[in-house]
Amino acid sequence: MEMLVIQKQSHKITNWPGGTTTELFIYPRECEYQKRNFLFRVSTATIEIEESQFTKLDEVNREIMILDGKIELIHEGRYSKNLGKFDTDTFSGEWNTRSIGKATDFNMMTKGNVSGHILHLGFETESTKTISFNVKTQKALFYIYSGKLQICEKTFESGDVIFFETLSNDKSIDVKAVTKSDIIVVELAGF
């Protein structure tokens, strides 16, 4: 199992018209978001104004999860959805999308044949869980949203990202919480 660690202090923070965005990981690593030449990208963003317009992204599929706060996500001419903490929505980056409300979100973007899914897992102090992936999952990423966890005999803290380029044959990873913790798990396929 190949594992790449990106610590919190390495994340790239930029401004967007409604707040800030923090790029947690982009793949392949040499790609640039502005060039739209990635296969997948994960980031967090703050929505600091009451109403904001999402950037249109042709040929990009998106899934967002609210980490803090709540918003109404409006996909013009399609549907709207109220999202609270750890709620998700999946949509096309080509849609006209806006939000009402202030929040912090976790954002996954995929392109081409790559598909992904995000989920939240909470841990109580000293608890252990085995995270088992779908048989089709080829790569995975963990974002430590809060707390401190032990993964593959290493300790990680809030803000750290662990990318698994390859997974073990049994497609599972054991995770132990040192403190009460929350992680966002990203499963990826289609490479």
Side-chain angles (χ1 to χ4, degrees), residues 25 39 93 127 140 142 144 151 154 190:
F25 193 81
L39 291 176
S127 66
F142 292 170
I144 313 302
I151 303 165
K154 295 182 180 165

Side-chain angles (χ1 to χ4, degrees), residues 33-94:
Y33 171 70
Q34 291 76 13
K35 292 182 179 178
R36 309 292 195 259
N37 59 352
F38 58 87
L39 291 176
F40 79 89
R41 177 183 187 255
V42 292
S43 61
T44 59
T46 60
I47 304 169
E48 299 171 10
I49 56 177
E50 195 56 40
E51 187 166 343
S52 64
Q53 187 73 35
F54 280 48
T55 302
K56 280 189 88 169
L57 299 166
D58 292 341
E59 300 177 10
V60 174
N61 293 309
R62 299 181 74 168
E63 184 173 358
I64 71 165
M65 174 184 284
I66 300 303
L67 298 175
D68 188 39
K70 57 184 174 180
I71 62 170
E72 178 183 9
L73 202 57
I74 302 160
H75 305 294
E76 294 176 12
R78 299 177 188 279
Y79 67 92
S80 64
K81 188 173 182 180
N82 290 310
L83 300 174
K85 190 167 187 164
F86 302 130
D87 290 338
T88 63
D89 189 36
T90 303
F91 57 99
S92 170
E94 296 175 9

Side-chain angles (χ1 to χ4, degrees), residues 133-161:
F133 297 103
N134 182 302
V135 68
K136 293 179 182 177
T137 300
Q138 294 169 289
K139 301 179 188 309
L141 181 139
F142 292 170
Y143 169 59
I144 313 302
Y145 175 56
S146 67
K148 186 184 282 190
L149 295 162
Q150 288 181 337
I151 303 165
C152 299
E153 300 178 14
K154 295 182 180 165
T155 301
F156 301 97
E157 297 188 14
S158 176
D160 290 344
V161 171

